[in-house]
Amino acid sequence: MREQILSIIEKNSRINVKELAVILGAEEIDVANELQAMEEEGIICGYHTMIDWEKTSIEKVTALIEVRITPQRGQGYDNIAERIYKYSEVNSVYLISGGYDLLVTLDGKSLKAVSSFVSDKLSTLDGVLSTATHFILKKYKDHGTILTKKYEDTREKVTP
Amino acid sequence: MRNPLSDIITDIKPSGIRKFFDIVSEMEDAISLGVGEPDFDTPWHIRDEGIYSLEKGRTFYTSNAGLKELKVEISKYIERTQKISYDANQEVIVTVGGSEAIDIALRAMINPGEEVLIPQPSYVSYEPCAILAGGVPVIIELKEENEFRLTAKELRDAITEKTKVLILPFPNNPTGAIMEKEDLEAIAEVIREKDIFVISDEIYAELTYKGKHVSIASLPGMQERTVLINGFSKSYAMTGWRLGYACAPHMIMEQMLKIHQFAIMCAPTTSQYAAVEALRNGDDDVAMMREAYNQRRRFLMHSFKEMGLKCFEPYGAFYVFPCIKEFGMTSDEFANRLLQEEKVAVVPGTAFGDCGEGFLRISYAYSLENLKIALNKINAFITRLRNQK
């Protein structure tokens, strides 16, 4: 049941327990217990809203930053990762295999705000060897949701 | 001028759905629950193969019976799902939708005057196709109390000396009924004893919600007397690609192939390449869609229960078939008033045979949000009807 619950609320976190129980053919109490357990276990870490900021009047830029670092003895990458993720403007931090080490995504008010964060805070950290900043120009699809097109039902209205 | 028309076709009445369609399409803002096809787009990797085949210039006829690799994939699919084997070279044909397969199977098997047993409510084309093939359709009226399954007794009672073929339409459109293994075993016994044949339309085989679908062809002694029909429309959301197939003993297939060869030549090439991809790598898509349909099915059953609308629990396809007899109206009247008063389109049960009277076909090939809005409107409508009484 866990996998089913997760795959549903991953797409629709607003669904209520009752409805979830109905579509899964389960008891409401069982679903509620599972949800609570998964929250406690940290499997469910939050209930977020997908927002296409582009369509608002609020200025916002998102950047992907590739960071190469020197791992520290006994700590590996964790120490530096922590120093980076503690900044509130940092959206996500991933350890990556391949050409660089950390992928940091960042929300800022402007290009300038992001670049000053990178030059003042990020690249000056001990152990950071280099950074490469990529600004997102347009989001086509995010978290499995296509942002550029709305679903349109083009079927005939009645068919056998 | 002489009458240019054939009597046989002019005597066949047009599909009952057509009439209703015309009314609905006039209404711009109607919410429809009347569609008999998936709401999902064909999975992208399948579409991509279709596009790729066009880019590579695969724009020629295939061999009459279909692309070799597709026939092989079909026979592997039947083998892995039903544990029966068909010779890809001699016993498989790729058709223009399941509907062509129904037509050519009947034409290959029926002599003038032979009877074709058609359980109803069921898909609209069996009866006309049987007539066009020169056969005499004999309707078996399925009962709600049997969950619209075909029982051995009903079958036995309908068989005469002229009976040649039984059409077996499960999982069923419009009722959503399925036939489980025990149900099939009971009728298979009658079929073998009476020495008749089966055209088993299993187009909804992947969409069952109570165990896996069992084909009648997989029962002892049945493969040799069954034409198994399936296709890509429902399971892979590929209705517009027009691609189906049939598997049958070589003796029957040889004759079906002749009709197909002369009337059709071959199924669309692009669709055939896409279908190879569907069978090779489409299992996850099918599972995802099946789960989504099942969630909607549970939602509808739950809502009906809350509204007090009687409906047996269907375990197949993507239809529910609630009973509206308590309102003292015909299905046609009910559907029309629901459309006029609440702008919700459902299909009257009678579009699928006279015994569909008193029922509606509601399709759940719609998003949950959509179903919720429509169900609220249906609830408002029936509450009003009950208060007026």
Side-chain angles (χ1 to χ4, degrees):
Chain A
M1 181 154 80
R2 283 196 165 193
E3 199 185 331
Q4 281 176 307
I5 293 178
L6 290 174
S7 75
I8 293 167
I9 63 171
E10 191 183 20
K11 296 275 178 215
N12 176 14
S13 61
R14 290 185 77 194
I15 191 167
N16 62 43
V17 177
K18 180 169 183 258
E19 204 176 307
L20 204 47
V22 167
I23 64 173
L24 291 175
E27 292 300 321
E28 220 174 305
I29 180 79
D30 296 339
V31 174
N33 287 341
E34 279 294 350
L35 280 170
Q36 203 192 338
M38 288 194 285
E39 284 169 15
E40 278 162 12
E41 288 167 41
I43 294 171
I44 297 172
C45 321
Y47 298 88
H48 299 284
T49 308
M50 275 215 51
I51 299 167
D52 188 355
W53 289 100
E54 279 286 295
K55 298 203 174 89
T56 69
S57 55
I58 299 161
E59 284 288 318
K60 208 168 183 179
V61 290
T62 308
L64 303 179
I65 307 162
E66 299 170 4
V67 185
R68 287 181 55 231
I69 55 182
T70 333
Q72 291 167 322
R73 189 178 188 123
Q75 299 284 338
Y77 299 95
D78 296 352
N79 225 357
I80 300 179
E82 187 180 342
R83 297 199 63 172
I84 296 174
Y85 70 59
K86 279 189 168 156
Y87 286 104
S88 60
E89 52 269 68
V90 168
N91 217 340
S92 58
V93 178
Y94 307 105
L95 181 63
I96 301 287
S97 66
Y100 57 97
D101 305 305
L102 295 179
L103 174 63
V104 176
T105 72
L106 196 70
D107 286 333
K109 283 202 168 65
S110 61
L111 289 184
K112 213 177 140 198
V114 173
S115 41
S116 66
F117 175 84
V118 174
S119 56
D120 299 350
K121 311 224 167 95
L122 200 56
S123 31
T124 55
L125 282 175
D126 268 352
V128 169
L129 296 172
S130 69
T131 63
T133 306
H134 310 274
F135 287 100
I136 289 176
L137 303 179
K138 184 175 181 181
K139 282 187 187 173
Y140 293 95
K141 187 177 182 182
D142 202 3
H143 288 82
T145 304
I146 294 168
L147 303 172
T148 46
K149 267 186 214 145
K150 268 203 148 164
Y151 174 79
E152 200 188 337
D153 193 345
T154 53
R155 294 174 293 173
E156 297 285 318
K157 282 196 168 152
V158 179
T159 47
Chain B
M1 190 172 80
R2 280 168 49 184
N3 178 4
L5 302 174
S6 120
D7 295 337
I8 203 169
I9 188 64
T10 38
D11 284 348
I12 293 175
K13 54 178 197 251
S15 165
I17 269 192
R18 195 67 226 173
K19 189 182 78 189
F20 204 67
F21 172 78
D22 292 338
I23 309 172
V24 178
S25 26
E26 302 263 301
M27 212 176 268
E28 279 277 298
D29 48 349
I31 299 180
S32 174
L33 301 182
V35 163
E37 61 179 323
D39 55 319
F40 298 98
D41 289 334
T42 307
W44 176 252
H45 65 105
I46 298 172
R47 284 189 270 164
D48 197 37
E49 278 304 311
I51 295 166
Y52 185 58
S53 80
L54 287 174
E55 281 177 351
K56 280 205 299 190
R58 305 264 190 262
T59 54
F60 303 102
Y61 296 128
T62 66
S63 72
N64 295 130
L67 272 181
K68 175 88 192 287
E69 18 297 47
L70 180 55
K71 288 185 295 175
V72 168
E73 289 302 328
I74 290 168
S75 111
K76 280 195 209 159
Y77 167 81
I78 302 287
E79 174 108 44
R80 75 170 186 264
T81 53
Q82 301 298 333
K83 309 277 179 290
I84 37 178
S85 64
Y86 285 99
D87 177 352
N89 284 323
Q90 302 210 310
E91 298 179 319
V92 177
I93 188 173
V94 182
T95 56
V96 180
S99 25
E100 187 213 335
I102 296 163
D103 181 33
I104 62 174
L106 281 164
R107 286 202 269 164
M109 295 168 82
I110 300 301
N111 290 304
E114 285 178 336
E115 291 176 353
V116 180
L117 299 180
I118 304 172
Q120 282 185 349
S122 61
Y123 185 60
V124 295
S125 81
Y126 305 130
E127 207 177 327
C129 283
I131 296 169
L132 288 171
V136 179
V138 174
I139 306 304
I140 303 178
E141 301 199 336
L142 300 177
K143 304 270 181 335
E144 190 191 20
E145 68 244 36
N146 299 327
E147 297 188 333
F148 292 103
R149 295 171 196 228
L150 174 65
T151 66
K153 177 162 192 315
E154 288 168 329
L155 175 61
R156 194 179 287 278
D157 290 349
I159 294 175
T160 69
E161 268 155 29
K162 290 188 190 144
T163 306
K164 180 73 166 283
V165 166
L166 163 70
I167 291 183
L168 196 62
F170 295 95
N172 182 274
N173 170 11
T175 64
I178 57 168
M179 292 279 280
E180 290 176 89
K181 197 167 181 213
E182 310 82 74
D183 306 316
L184 292 171
E185 279 165 348
I187 63 163
E189 205 182 306
V190 181
I191 291 161
R192 285 185 303 252
E193 178 198 318
K194 298 286 184 182
D195 194 16
I196 62 171
F197 299 88
V198 183
I199 295 176
S200 185
D201 183 354
E202 303 178 19
I203 192 80
Y204 291 96
E206 284 293 343
L207 303 180
T208 58
Y209 314 106
K210 189 187 187 190
K212 292 241 173 261
H213 168 76
V214 178
S215 171
I216 194 160
S218 70
L219 301 183
M222 287 308 296
Q223 189 176 359
E224 63 209 60
R225 48 179 76 244
T226 302
V227 177
L228 186 163
I229 294 172
N230 201 334
F232 298 87
S233 296
K234 317 294 175 174
S235 37
Y236 299 97
M238 292 178 72
T239 44
W241 299 77
R242 305 311 305 123
L243 208 66
Y245 57 87
C247 302
H250 178 58
M251 193 176 135
I252 303 174
M253 187 53 75
E254 222 181 340
Q255 304 310 320
M256 286 171 66
L257 180 60
K258 269 183 3 204
I259 305 167
H260 175 77
Q261 187 168 71
F262 295 132
I264 302 289
M265 182 70 95
C266 72
T269 303
T270 313
S271 305
Q272 293 194 54
Y273 278 103
V276 171
E277 170 66 16
L279 284 174
R280 281 185 187 157
N281 298 310
D283 288 1
D284 290 347
D285 304 300
V286 177
M288 182 276 290
M289 291 189 264
R290 184 193 300 120
E291 176 58 28
Y293 291 131
N294 198 5
Q295 290 173 5
R296 301 165 184 180
R297 184 187 69 91
R298 292 190 189 115
F299 168 75
L300 283 183
M301 289 312 295
H302 178 84
S303 305
F304 289 158
K305 210 168 162 190
E306 285 193 327
M307 290 181 208
L309 195 61
K310 194 178 158 216
C311 183
F312 85 101
E313 183 162 6
Y315 292 106
F318 38 63
Y319 309 104
V320 288
F321 206 58
C323 172
I324 47 122
K325 288 178 183 165
E326 62 161 306
F327 302 103
M329 273 185 253
T330 65
S331 302
D332 226 46
E333 277 175 277
F334 189 99
N336 269 304
R337 278 189 59 185
L338 180 62
L339 183 61
Q340 300 303 333
E341 295 176 28
E342 293 289 341
K343 298 197 169 146
V344 175
V346 298
V347 182
T350 41
F352 306 94
D354 293 341
C355 60
E357 187 57 89
F359 297 90
L360 303 172
R361 186 192 76 173
I362 293 182
S363 160
Y364 49 89
Y366 296 91
S367 70
L368 271 172
E369 293 72 46
N370 222 313
L371 290 173
K372 253 179 244 175
I373 300 169
L375 267 273
N376 279 337
K377 286 169 176 281
I378 293 175
N379 193 23
F381 180 65
I382 65 174
T383 309
R384 213 159 51 236
L385 290 179
R386 281 173 182 152
N387 289 341
Q388 280 164 9
K389 267 206 260 181

